[in-house]
Amino acid sequence: MSIKSVVPCLLLLTAMAGPAVAAEALPEAIAVAGESVVLSVHAEGAQVYECKAAADGKLAWAFREPIATLLSEGKTIGRHYAGPSWELADGSAVVGKAVGNSPGATPADIPWLKLEVASRRGNGTLTPVTTVQRINTHGGKLEGSCDKAGEFKSAPYSADYIFLKKG
């Protein structure tokens, strides 16, 4: 067997082992079986909170929306915003609905999420996506009291978003 035939075999084995290893490392609450990766991006942005009256009548910070830039290989390829929505420069977009979560690595980190795609628009990379995972979160939680209803505050965060499709 020549080196030319061994290298493609090793690359194929590495590619096959990669997703399986990654899937096993995710918490059960957000793991996805039987789906393949369409796109993996890094997000940098902020989680925006609003000062509102809680159920007990006291003012507290309530999550309002995310605002983030989606990056691939250091280049901006899209944005993440309220919905929660993800939109790429190619015009494709999806809106998700959270169906599972797992705590972030530290108390300051927003949770990891599994979201089912509830709607889509446009035609492009995100068109076949059925599930979105938010992993490797850093920051994003806002602690402390708020004094004035209607006040907004943001907490910087970063995360990785994995877009998956069935099959």
Side-chain angles (χ1 to χ4, degrees):
M1 190 177 244
S2 74
I3 191 74
K4 285 183 179 177
S5 61
V6 170
V7 171
C9 290
L10 288 174
L11 289 173
L12 181 61
L13 285 172
T14 303
M16 288 168 51
V21 172
E24 290 170 18
L26 291 177
E28 189 175 322
I30 66 158
V32 177
E35 294 192 24
S36 59
V37 175
V38 172
L39 178 67
S40 178
V41 300
H42 182 69
E44 294 280 340
Q47 298 284 310
V48 180
Y49 295 85
E50 182 177 359
C51 186
K52 286 183 165 182
D56 61 7
K58 294 180 183 169
L59 292 177
W61 292 111
F63 175 70
R64 181 180 168 93
E65 64 187 328
I67 299 173
T69 300
L70 302 179
L71 305 160
S72 178
E73 297 175 10
K75 291 185 172 73
T76 298
I77 64 161
R79 64 191 186 115
H80 174 43
Y81 54 93
S85 300
W86 296 265
E87 182 178 333
L88 298 184
D90 70 6
S92 63
V94 294
V95 177
K97 178 184 177 210
V99 294
N101 70 74
S102 184
T106 76
D109 301 333
I110 54 177
W112 291 19
L113 295 177
K114 175 169 73 174
L115 305 104
E116 286 180 352
V117 170
S119 66
R120 58 182 49 82
R121 71 175 190 277
N123 211 355
T125 305
L126 298 181
T127 302
V129 172
T130 52
T131 306
V132 181
Q133 292 170 313
R134 178 176 75 189
I135 63 172
N136 303 327
T137 58
H138 183 73
K141 278 201 180 164
L142 188 62
E143 299 296 330
S145 61
C146 60
D147 305 319
K148 186 178 172 192
E151 185 178 26
F152 294 93
K153 215 172 208 181
S154 61
Y157 93 106
S158 65
D160 293 326
Y161 289 97
I162 314 299
F163 299 90
L164 304 138
K165 67 177 180 177
K166 295 201 182 325

